[in-house]
């Protein structure tokens, strides 16, 4: 079947995508439950081997995007987690480059607001939606 349409407005990146070729550390963990791409994750029940969506403690890093055809990591599958480096994340707030990035303790959402949140790095780009985060 031939391609009948295409777009001229390509997406720059997607949540969890590695931002550039700078130094980074990506460790592998097993998913404890479903893990979406580009979210803050924390240590799971087995602190050495599992991760869960971040909910206030045990922050490890950001789940990295892979071409798995599903858009998320299923329970008990391998999850690449960036613990240091630069990665694209979604934010609902308008952020400014150079400011501290936080993960909201209740939801794990990435924001620039420190109230009830855990510092995780700094923003390297400004905007709302998809931005580059540098992990500590």
């Amino acid at each position: 079947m031939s391609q009948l349409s295409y777009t001229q407005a390509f997406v720059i990146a997607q949540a969890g995508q590695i931002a550039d070729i700078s130094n980074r550390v990506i460790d592998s963990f097993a998913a404890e439950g479903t893990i979406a791409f580009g979210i803050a994750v924390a240590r799971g029940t087995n602190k050495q081997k599992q991760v869960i969506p971040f909910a206030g403690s045990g922050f490890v890093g950001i789940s990295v995007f892979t071409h798995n055809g599903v858009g998320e990591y299923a329970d008990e599958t391998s999850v690449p987690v960036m613990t240091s480096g630069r990665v694209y994340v979604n934010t609902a707030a308008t952020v400014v480059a150079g400011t501290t990035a936080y993960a909201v303790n209740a939801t794990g959402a990435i924001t620039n607001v420190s109230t009830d949140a855990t510092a995780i790095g700094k923003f390297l780009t400004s905007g709302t939606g998809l931005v580059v985060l540098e992990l500590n």
Side-chain angles (χ1 to χ4, degrees), residues 7 9-14 17 130:
T7 181
F10 293 103
V11 177
I12 291 174
Q14 52 196 325
Q17 185 173 328
L130 203 59

Side-chain angles (χ1 to χ4, degrees), residues 33-57:
T34 303
I35 305 286
F37 296 152
I39 67 165
V41 294
R43 303 242 178 224
T45 304
N46 181 328
K47 305 284 186 223
Q48 183 177 342
K49 298 180 180 180
Q50 293 177 314
V51 289
I52 57 174
F54 178 77
S57 66

Side-chain angles (χ1 to χ4, degrees), residues 13-129:
Q14 52 196 325
Q17 185 173 328
I18 297 168
D20 59 25
I21 61 170
S22 64
N23 290 334
R24 60 185 168 267
V25 175
I26 298 175
D27 294 319
S28 292
F29 295 89
E32 183 177 345
T34 303
I35 305 286
F37 296 152
I39 67 165
V41 294
R43 303 242 178 224
T45 304
N46 181 328
K47 305 284 186 223
Q48 183 177 342
K49 298 180 180 180
Q50 293 177 314
V51 289
I52 57 174
F54 178 77
S57 66
F59 176 79
V60 177
I62 302 292
S63 58
V64 176
F65 167 83
T66 58
H67 295 277
N68 69 3
V70 180
E72 62 189 16
Y73 300 102
D75 186 35
E76 299 182 356
T77 59
S78 180
V79 180
V81 176
M82 183 177 289
T83 58
S84 176
R86 298 172 178 174
V87 62
Y88 284 94
V89 295
N90 280 313
T91 178
T94 300
V95 301
V96 177
T99 60
T100 302
Y102 299 90
V104 177
N105 292 335
T107 64
I110 310 299
T111 184
N112 59 347
V113 179
S114 63
T115 307
D116 296 322
T118 300
I120 61 171
K122 70 178 177 180
F123 295 108
L124 294 184
T125 58
S126 301
T128 304

